[in-house]
């Protein structure tokens, strides 16, 4: 089967191959996230291993999901509860980007 994705945008890596919790894998699948973009494939494994990552990529390349997947996995694994306070703080330069981050998070954290 010939790929319909733009060269250099999508990677060969799949979300279902990540070592993340099952509820997150299920949510990603339900949200139709299957193949990682290049920025996701290059950053998520490092973030899952607790490393700091500094990355830059074009708008729409998947940066939001690249940091939310490891964050959600960590919160799940430590059995984080809302009574514990803020689990993640995402700093955004605009209200629109903050809303986008929130929408993606709601989509994958059901």
């Amino acid at each position: 089967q010939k790929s319909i994705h733009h060269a250099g945008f999508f990677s060969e890596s799949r979300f279902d191959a990540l070592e993340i919790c099952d509820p997150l894998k299920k949510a990603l699948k339900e949200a139709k996230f299957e193949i990682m973009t290049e920025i996701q494939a290059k950053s998520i494994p490092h973030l899952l291993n607790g490393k700091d990552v500094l990355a830059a990529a074009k708008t729409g390349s998947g940066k939001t999901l690249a940091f939310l997947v490891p964050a959600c996995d960590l919160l799940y694994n430590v059995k984080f509860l809302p009574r514990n306070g803020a689990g993640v703080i995402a700093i955004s330069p605009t209200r629109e980007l903050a809303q986008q981050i929130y929408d993606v998070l709601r989509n994958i954290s059901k």
Side-chain angles (χ1 to χ4, degrees):
Q1 178 176 349
K2 193 170 188 167
S3 175
I4 59 170
H5 306 298
H6 300 293
F9 186 75
F10 283 95
S11 70
E12 299 293 320
S13 302
R14 300 181 55 86
F15 283 105
D16 58 11
L18 289 172
E19 291 186 31
I20 55 176
C21 62
D22 289 336
L24 183 53
K25 278 187 183 184
K26 181 181 178 194
L28 288 166
K29 184 176 183 177
E30 288 174 0
K32 307 274 191 273
F33 291 116
E34 297 174 7
I35 300 173
M36 288 185 263
T37 64
E38 287 293 330
I39 191 70
Q40 293 163 347
K42 290 178 179 177
S43 61
I44 291 175
H46 295 293
L47 292 166
L48 288 172
N49 286 321
K51 304 292 184 194
D52 292 335
V53 172
L54 175 62
K58 292 180 180 181
T59 299
S61 61
K63 295 181 298 292
T64 300
L65 201 58
F67 76 82
L68 286 178
V69 167
C72 289
D73 186 63
L74 175 64
L75 293 176
Y76 179 84
N77 289 331
V78 299
K79 297 173 178 42
F80 183 83
L81 297 171
R83 71 172 183 243
N84 299 121
V88 173
I89 297 175
I91 299 171
S92 169
T94 66
R95 182 180 313 162
E96 292 77 15
L97 182 55
Q99 186 64 51
Q100 173 198 330
I101 294 167
Y102 177 75
D103 291 342
V104 173
L105 177 60
R106 294 283 301 190
N107 206 14
I108 65 167
S109 63
K110 296 176 181 176

